[in-house]
Amino acid sequence: DSGVTQTPKHLITATGQRVTLRCSPRSGDLSVYWYQQSLDQGLQFLIQYYNGEERAKGNILERFSAQQFPDLHSELNLSSLELGDSALYFCASSVEYNEQFFGPGTRLTVL
Amino acid sequence: KNEVEQSPQNLTAQEGEFITINCSYSVGISALHWLQQHPGGGIVSLFMLSSGKKKHGRLIATINIQEKHSSLHITASHPRDSAVYICAVRFFYGGSQGNLIFGKGTKLSVKP
């Protein structure tokens, strides 16, 4: 158990819909990262938050957004969903740029 | 272009064999991570390296900064080591730290 929690574990939805994925980091970790893992692209960095502020952005679509709240939990919002958004979404947390601890992931299926 | 290359892509071994997975990258890095992804999907961080060698149980990770290469070794392999092993690096961008770039992973299957 990494200490990072993600909900929900599975999510099935339809094209055009909007979903919210939630992540709670390990106690004491200020950095939260979001990653997408699809079959054809592998793991890709989406976005990083540090203590409530956006720190870095990767290959995140404009339809996707994220935020980190004062209690340090983070949410990833995916809107206008397309079939190609089906993937595993991982959250990870760390202390600064140290070792990252991954959550169990949310498996998103868009039908 | 900053790239991370892993080899082999797939690896089948007999229980007890010594296993090596390789990772090469293109430019200077601040750190390299080895991750293990179980068949169920969960990802576990094995090592974070910026130089030298680290050991944890039967796992050993080494990095050669000059050659831009890292290896993950598994001694006395066991079927429970069957997983995908992923190399990820953090490149330097203009003096500041970049984000993790991932290799495509090495799928290891250890037969009893």
Side-chain angles (χ1 to χ4, degrees), chain A residues 7 11 13-14 39-41 55 62 77 81 106 110-111:
Chain A
T7 56
L11 197 47
T13 189
L39 279 174
D40 55 343
Q41 296 285 339
R55 179 172 263 190
E62 283 191 16
N77 301 295
L81 285 167
T106 293
V110 182
L111 300 175

Side-chain angles (χ1 to χ4, degrees), chain A residues 1-100:
Chain A
D1 184 359
S2 66
V4 179
T5 61
Q6 285 188 250
T7 56
K9 194 167 182 178
H10 300 277
L11 197 47
I12 301 174
T13 189
T15 54
Q17 295 297 305
R18 173 189 168 94
V19 297
T20 296
L21 313 184
R22 184 188 166 105
C23 168
S24 292
R26 285 190 327 153
S27 177
D29 286 355
L30 299 180
S31 272
V32 170
Y33 308 79
W34 285 99
Y35 297 98
Q36 180 193 56
Q37 186 179 37
S38 57
L39 279 174
D40 55 343
Q41 296 285 339
L43 268 166
Q44 290 197 88
F45 167 73
L46 294 178
I47 196 163
Q48 178 200 359
Y49 277 82
Y50 179 82
N51 202 20
E53 300 286 327
E54 182 185 303
R55 179 172 263 190
K57 233 173 183 176
N59 299 320
I60 187 165
L61 300 172
E62 283 191 16
R63 300 183 285 108
F64 297 0
S65 64
Q67 53 184 327
Q68 187 179 27
F69 295 87
D71 67 352
L72 300 178
H73 92 270
S74 178
E75 292 181 356
L76 178 67
N77 301 295
L78 314 176
S79 61
S80 302
L81 285 167
E82 301 175 359
L83 295 177
D85 298 327
S86 295
L88 265 171
Y89 291 85
F90 288 100
C91 159
S93 74
S94 73
V95 177
E96 282 294 348
Y97 288 110
N98 290 331
E99 182 179 9
Q100 294 187 20

Side-chain angles (χ1 to χ4, degrees), chain A residues 37 88 90 103-105 107, chain B residues 36-44:
Chain A
Q37 186 179 37
L88 265 171
F90 288 100
R107 186 175 295 277
Chain B
Q36 180 192 53
Q37 186 167 27
H38 297 287
I43 295 176
V44 174

Side-chain angles (χ1 to χ4, degrees), chain B residues 8-110:
Chain B
Q9 199 171 347
N10 293 284
L11 183 54
T12 300
Q14 287 299 127
E15 183 173 355
E17 285 185 1
F18 180 84
I19 288 161
T20 296
I21 298 170
N22 298 297
C23 176
S24 297
Y25 51 91
S26 53
V27 296
I29 65 169
S30 61
L32 182 143
H33 299 245
W34 280 103
L35 310 172
Q36 180 192 53
Q37 186 167 27
H38 297 287
I43 295 176
V44 174
S45 176
L46 298 175
F47 297 103
M48 188 181 86
L49 294 162
S50 54
S51 64
K53 176 178 174 178
K54 285 189 175 179
K55 184 175 191 289
H56 185 257
R58 294 180 295 106
L59 302 178
I60 303 165
T62 63
I63 187 167
N64 185 317
I65 297 296
Q66 287 72 33
E67 294 186 3
K68 298 184 177 58
H69 180 269
S70 175
S71 293
L72 176 68
H73 305 287
I74 305 175
T75 61
S77 60
H78 189 276
R80 66 174 174 266
D81 297 325
S82 298
V84 175
Y85 293 82
I86 302 168
C87 170
V89 303
R90 186 184 300 284
F91 292 104
F92 277 119
Y93 288 112
S96 56
Q97 304 228 28
N99 309 303
L100 285 184
I101 307 294
F102 297 86
K104 294 191 185 306
T106 294
K107 185 174 181 180
L108 171 65
S109 176
V110 182

